[in-house]
Amino acid sequence: MNILDNLKKVRELDKQDMLGVEENFYGQLLEAKKIAESTVLSQLKNKNFAGIAILGMGGSGFTGDIIKSLIIDYVEIPVEIVKGYDLPAFVKKGWLVIAVSYSGNTEETVSAANQALQKNCELLCVASGGKTEEIASVNGKCFVRLPSGFQPRGASGYLFFTTYLVLRKLCIVNISDSEIEEALNLIRKKSELYKRDIDTDNNPAKKLALKLFNNMPVIYGTDGYLSAVAFRWKCEFNENSKYPSFWAEFPELNHNETVGWENLKGLTGNFVLIVFKDKEARERIKVRIKTTVQLIRSHFNDVVEIDVEGRSKLAKALSTMYLGDITSVYLALLAGVDPTPVDRISILKAELAKLDK
Ligand code: F6R
C-alpha cells in the first residue's frame, strides 16, 4: 500500500490539512457564491469602465489570469493583468482596478492599489483583511471579504469564484445560471473521485501523483484558459509539492521550446510532460499537439495527456485546475513533505518588511 492510501500517515504528514482544503473545493465554490451575492457594490453599479486591471501575485494572481482568459472573447474593453508594483501608464481614471490579495498585505498589490487611488480609478479590493481592506474602508471603496485562515493558494475557490461572480453582478462577466450549475456539478463529482478515501487504483489524482513522483512536471496548455491553468499547475507543484516545474503554451512553444529539448537528454529523462487536450480546440491546435508530442516524446520519462472535461469554459477551467491542485497535494505526501508551509515565501516577505522599519 502506498502512503496515499494510508490515511493515518496522510493525517500525520499533512499537519494543516491542505488535502482537506482541496477536498472541500466544491464547498468553497458554494460559499463564494453566497459571498458574491451578499457583497454590496453600490459604488460600482451602472458604470461604463474604460478598462479593467486585475492586480494580484502568486495564489491570488491566478484570479486575474483565469478571469481574463474566460472573458476575453466577449468583453470589449481592455483587460490588463498586473503582477508587480506599478500600474501601466494607460490605466487611469475611468478604469476599474481590482486588487486581489488573500492576505491583503502583499506589497506589490498594495503599491498598485495605492496608485489606482492616486489616479482616481475605481477600486475594488478582494481580501480576507489586511492593508487592502484598510485602503478600501478609508477611501470608501468596495470591499469583498473572504473567510480567513487559509493559504492563499488554498483559497482559490473564494478568490477566483467570488471575484468572477462579483463581475457578473456588475454585468462584465456573461455566464448563464446553467453554465454555473454545470461547473459546480462537475466539481462536486470530481471531489468525490479525488478524495483520500478513494484508493489509488480508482483515484485519477493519486495515480497522476504516482506518475510524477521523482519526476519534474512540464505542463503544456493552449493559449487562453488552458494556459492559465497550466501555469496554475506549475505553481501548485512548486508550492504544495516543493517540486520544480515548468509550463508553456501552444502555439508559442512550437516556435522555440519544441526545438529546445534536442539537447541535455541525460537531464530530461526525469521529466514528465503533461499536455491538456480540449476536444473543442481548433483543428490546427490538435495537429500541433499531436505532432509536438511525437517529436519530443523520447526526451521525457513519460507523457500524460489530460482530456479536459466539461461543456462550458468555466467547467473546463475549474475541473482541470482542480485535478492539478489536488494532485500537487498528493505528490507532496508521496515526497514526504507537508504541503502547507511555504517557508521561502515567508522569509522573503519578512526580509522585505525590514525595509519599512
Ligand atoms: C501562498 C501563496 C502565495 C501567495 C502570494 C501573495 O499560499 O499561494 O503565492 O498567494 O505570496 O500573497 P497574497 O495572496 O496574500 O496576496
Side-chain angles (χ1 to χ4, degrees):
M1 177 168 62
N2 77 64
I3 180 189
L4 301 182
D5 293 333
N6 181 336
L7 301 189
K8 186 166 170 282
K9 281 235 168 74
V10 164
R11 264 194 306 278
E12 276 165 21
L13 203 52
D14 185 15
K15 295 190 183 60
Q16 294 167 66
D17 198 21
M18 184 61 96
L19 183 55
V21 170
E22 290 302 342
E23 286 170 327
N24 189 40
F25 184 50
Y26 174 65
Q28 250 192 47
L29 295 174
L30 290 185
E31 218 184 312
K33 212 168 159 225
K34 287 196 190 132
I35 299 169
E37 275 156 19
S38 64
T39 299
V40 181
L41 296 165
S42 30
Q43 296 99 312
L44 298 174
K45 281 254 155 157
N46 305 319
K47 294 217 164 160
N48 287 321
F49 302 110
I52 304 168
I54 311 179
L55 324 178
M57 307 302 297
S60 295
F62 175 71
T63 306
D65 296 335
I66 195 75
I67 288 181
K68 178 175 178 176
S69 73
L70 291 175
I71 67 178
I72 202 77
D73 293 347
Y74 58 82
V75 168
E76 292 184 12
I77 51 176
V79 181
E80 183 70 11
I81 302 301
V82 179
K83 295 192 180 192
Y85 293 91
D86 298 315
L87 289 183
F90 56 76
V91 175
K92 48 178 116 163
K93 192 168 189 289
W95 276 62
L96 169 63
V97 174
I98 307 172
V100 186
S101 167
Y102 182 71
S103 62
N105 289 327
T106 295
E107 63 174 40
E108 299 94 314
T109 312
V110 171
S111 156
N114 277 320
Q115 290 179 10
L117 284 177
Q118 280 156 16
K119 290 179 156 198
N120 280 319
C121 300
E122 297 295 343
L123 181 65
L124 167 70
C125 296
V126 182
S128 62
K131 290 183 186 158
T132 58
E133 173 175 15
E134 214 176 293
I135 290 174
S137 88
V138 170
N139 297 283
K141 302 293 182 188
C142 290
F143 179 65
V144 180
R145 181 187 304 285
L146 305 179
S148 57
F150 292 83
Q151 275 288 334
R153 63 187 185 280
S156 57
Y158 295 130
L159 286 159
F160 157 68
F161 208 41
T162 311
T163 311
Y164 183 72
L165 294 177
V166 160
L167 289 178
R168 186 182 188 225
K169 270 173 92 169
L170 293 174
C171 303
I172 293 167
V173 163
N174 180 4
I175 185 161
S176 65
D177 286 343
S178 63
E179 282 173 315
I180 291 176
E181 274 314 295
E182 187 231 342
L184 289 172
N185 283 336
L186 185 57
I187 295 301
R188 186 174 42 74
K189 273 194 218 135
K190 292 295 168 192
S191 61
E192 286 303 311
L193 189 61
Y194 300 156
K195 65 185 181 186
R196 73 188 79 192
D197 306 354
I198 307 295
D199 63 16
T200 301
D201 286 347
N202 299 299
N203 188 325
K206 288 186 182 179
K207 271 194 200 154
L208 180 55
L210 274 172
K211 270 196 182 183
L212 295 174
F213 182 48
N214 281 332
N215 287 288
M216 196 188 74
V218 175
I219 307 113
Y220 281 180
T222 310
D223 62 333
Y225 77 96
L226 284 179
S227 163
V229 174
F231 176 59
R232 167 77 181 181
W233 277 48
K234 169 225 144 32
C235 296
E236 291 288 271
F237 290 131
N238 295 153
E239 292 184 66
N240 288 333
S241 327
K242 282 79 180 170
Y243 262 47
S245 177
F246 293 93
W247 73 288
E249 62 180 10
F250 288 101
E252 176 62 18
L253 70 90
N254 283 152
H255 300 273
N256 33 63
E257 186 154 325
T258 313
V259 185
W261 295 112
E262 283 184 27
N263 263 313
L264 303 189
K265 288 190 186 126
L267 205 71
T268 62
N270 267 37
F271 290 12
V272 168
L273 179 65
I274 299 167
V275 187
F276 297 152
K277 289 170 72 181
D278 179 357
K279 55 180 180 312
E280 272 146 15
R282 70 176 74 197
E283 202 48 41
R284 307 192 81 83
I285 288 287
K286 290 183 182 163
V287 172
R288 281 178 185 277
I289 294 177
K290 191 167 169 241
T291 312
T292 305
V293 170
Q294 278 165 1
L295 286 168
I296 67 176
R297 177 179 285 277
S298 64
H299 304 292
F300 291 86
N301 192 1
D302 203 353
V303 177
V304 182
E305 300 189 4
I306 306 279
D307 289 315
V308 169
E309 291 181 59
R311 280 197 307 277
S312 69
K313 264 194 189 179
L314 176 69
K316 287 177 184 179
L318 281 183
S319 62
T320 311
M321 167 193 155
Y322 188 34
L323 175 61
D325 282 9
I326 198 156
T327 298
S328 72
V329 175
Y330 284 130
L331 182 57
L333 300 172
L334 280 174
V337 300
D338 183 343
T340 302
V342 276
D343 294 344
R344 291 178 181 186
I345 296 179
S346 312
I347 292 168
L348 270 157
K349 288 185 177 178
E351 205 51 41
L352 284 157
K354 288 184 194 162
L355 297 176
D356 304 327
K357 286 187 182 137

